[in-house]
Amino acid sequence: MHKLSKAEVMREVKDYIYITLGLISYSLGWAAFLLPYQITTGGTTGIGAIIYYATGFPIQWSYFIINAVLMTFAIRVLGPRFSIKTTYAIFTLTFLLWLFQLVVNNYVEAPDMTPDGKPLLLGTGQDFMACIIGAAMCGVGLGITFNYNGSTGGTDIIAAIIHKYKDVTLGRMVMLCDVIIISSCYFVFHDWRRVIFGFVTLFVIGFVLDYIVNSARQSVQFFIFSKEYEKIADRITKETHRGVTVLDGIGWYSKHNVKVLVVLAYKRQSIDIFRLVKDIDPNAFISQSSVIGVYGEGFDRLKVK
């Protein structure tokens, strides 16, 4: 059995901390903005919301029951590490949905109340603003959770399974899985306005989710021209742990041979690379460009059939 190193343990702890923060944002978005204004969206949380609006059965228990069933299919496909974190997320989100509903309904003062005594933080008639704020909080929460190898379950599990084998963005997969769920809320409210709010919520969640996930994986490409290319290449390799390729070139104006360093790195490493190049050769010529995707050693795994 593989024994985890200290670095691996700290990485796992960091994952769980960030997953928890993401779940807090997600559950707050539901408890404070979506549920009081009777707005739904996709996923098992959306199914739970529809059941709640129709029967009053608590959303957290519907969410938990549905995900308990779905998790039986996810363990073999996504692996034990993903499944453990997803199970943790399901239990934690069930608790947080209950907790924040309790806090919002009993300890938060609001300018208006619903007929059944639930506080409307933004006041009456602010359904659309509640839709946008709640969806943005849910999208941020989902994005953080996905970035740290977690999932809130439900259609997120389905999306993660497909994303494992196909280069399809997570937000789009969640949208495709959730259209039917949102449309079904019409049979509860008999109001197409609620359906439209649901699709707006879904769109905002998908947009924010994609932005959070993809921004964390944005990559850049550097072309570095310098006489001190050996020192620069050594420091980039040692300090940023990025590979460096040395190409032979000819400066057409000077007709001199030059060495060109090609570096692919994450966007967040750009400042470090610029700084170390400046420390070694302030006169170096550097070209930086964004790349759509980088696959292979040290980056995303290539997913093809």
Side-chain angles (χ1 to χ4, degrees):
M1 183 176 180
H2 173 65
K3 185 177 180 180
L4 295 176
S5 65
K6 183 178 179 179
E8 290 174 323
V9 171
M10 293 305 297
R11 192 180 304 117
E12 289 295 305
V13 170
K14 181 181 177 182
D15 282 353
Y16 281 100
I17 290 174
Y18 277 97
I19 288 172
T20 304
L21 292 175
L23 296 176
I24 289 173
S25 176
Y26 185 81
S27 55
L28 259 177
W30 269 103
F33 296 102
L34 299 184
L35 287 177
Y37 287 89
Q38 294 187 321
I39 299 170
T40 190
T41 186
T44 49
T45 321
I47 297 174
I50 293 173
I51 295 173
Y52 170 72
Y53 300 144
T55 67
F57 187 73
I59 182 176
Q60 62 270 17
W61 297 122
S62 300
Y63 165 82
F64 181 81
I65 293 169
I66 296 169
N67 277 288
V69 175
L70 287 175
M71 278 301 298
T72 60
F73 297 99
I75 293 176
R76 292 184 179 179
V77 178
L78 298 177
R81 182 172 295 184
F82 181 94
S83 299
I84 290 172
K85 289 180 179 178
T86 303
T87 302
Y88 166 79
I90 291 170
F91 277 97
T92 302
L93 185 56
T94 300
F95 169 74
L96 290 175
L97 284 170
W98 168 82
L99 176 65
F100 285 125
Q101 285 181 86
L102 179 68
V103 171
V104 170
N105 294 338
N106 296 283
Y107 301 103
V108 175
E109 294 184 5
D112 292 298
M113 307 289 285
T114 63
D116 57 350
K118 303 294 175 58
L120 297 173
L121 297 184
L122 302 178
T124 305
Q126 297 296 323
D127 302 52
F128 185 73
M129 186 57 68
C131 166
I132 297 299
I133 296 174
M137 292 180 68
C138 290
V140 169
L142 285 176
I144 294 173
T145 302
F146 268 117
N147 272 345
Y148 290 90
N149 303 313
S151 166
T152 56
T155 51
D156 297 340
I157 293 176
I158 299 172
I161 292 172
I162 297 174
H163 181 71
K164 181 176 181 180
Y165 300 105
K166 297 282 291 183
D167 288 320
V168 181
T169 61
L170 295 173
R172 288 179 183 174
M173 286 311 309
V174 172
M175 283 186 185
L176 291 174
C177 294
D178 295 344
V179 167
I180 296 177
I181 297 172
I182 294 174
S183 300
S184 66
C185 79
Y186 175 79
F187 300 103
V188 176
F189 298 109
H190 300 287
D191 182 0
W192 284 109
R193 193 171 66 106
R194 295 291 173 189
V195 178
I196 293 172
F197 278 157
F199 282 114
V200 171
T201 305
L202 181 62
F203 174 79
V204 174
I205 290 176
F207 178 82
V208 175
L209 169 61
D210 271 350
Y211 179 81
I212 297 294
V213 171
N214 292 330
S215 64
R217 295 177 179 174
Q218 282 183 351
S219 300
V220 292
Q221 179 176 266
F222 289 95
F223 287 103
I224 304 171
F225 302 78
S226 172
K227 294 179 181 179
E228 303 293 338
Y229 67 93
E230 291 182 350
K231 294 180 181 179
I232 293 173
D234 287 339
R235 285 194 59 183
I236 289 175
T237 302
K238 292 177 182 177
E239 296 181 22
T240 68
H241 305 290
R242 293 289 115 199
V244 181
T245 301
V246 182
L247 304 179
D248 291 317
I250 299 176
W252 197 248
Y253 179 77
S254 65
K255 300 300 190 291
H256 292 160
N257 292 329
V258 294
K259 297 292 186 179
V260 183
L261 303 182
V262 180
V263 183
L264 289 166
Y266 287 120
K267 188 175 181 179
R268 62 178 179 267
Q269 297 175 306
S270 298
I271 298 298
D272 294 332
I273 293 175
F274 275 115
R275 285 175 178 170
L276 69 84
V277 172
K278 183 179 178 181
D279 290 342
I280 298 172
D281 183 6
N283 297 317
F285 183 84
I286 307 175
S287 169
Q288 177 189 340
S289 59
S290 297
V291 292
I292 296 175
V294 181
Y295 303 94
E297 185 86 25
F299 290 91
D300 292 337
R301 185 170 63 87
L302 186 63
K303 305 182 184 82
V304 294
K305 283 186 176 181

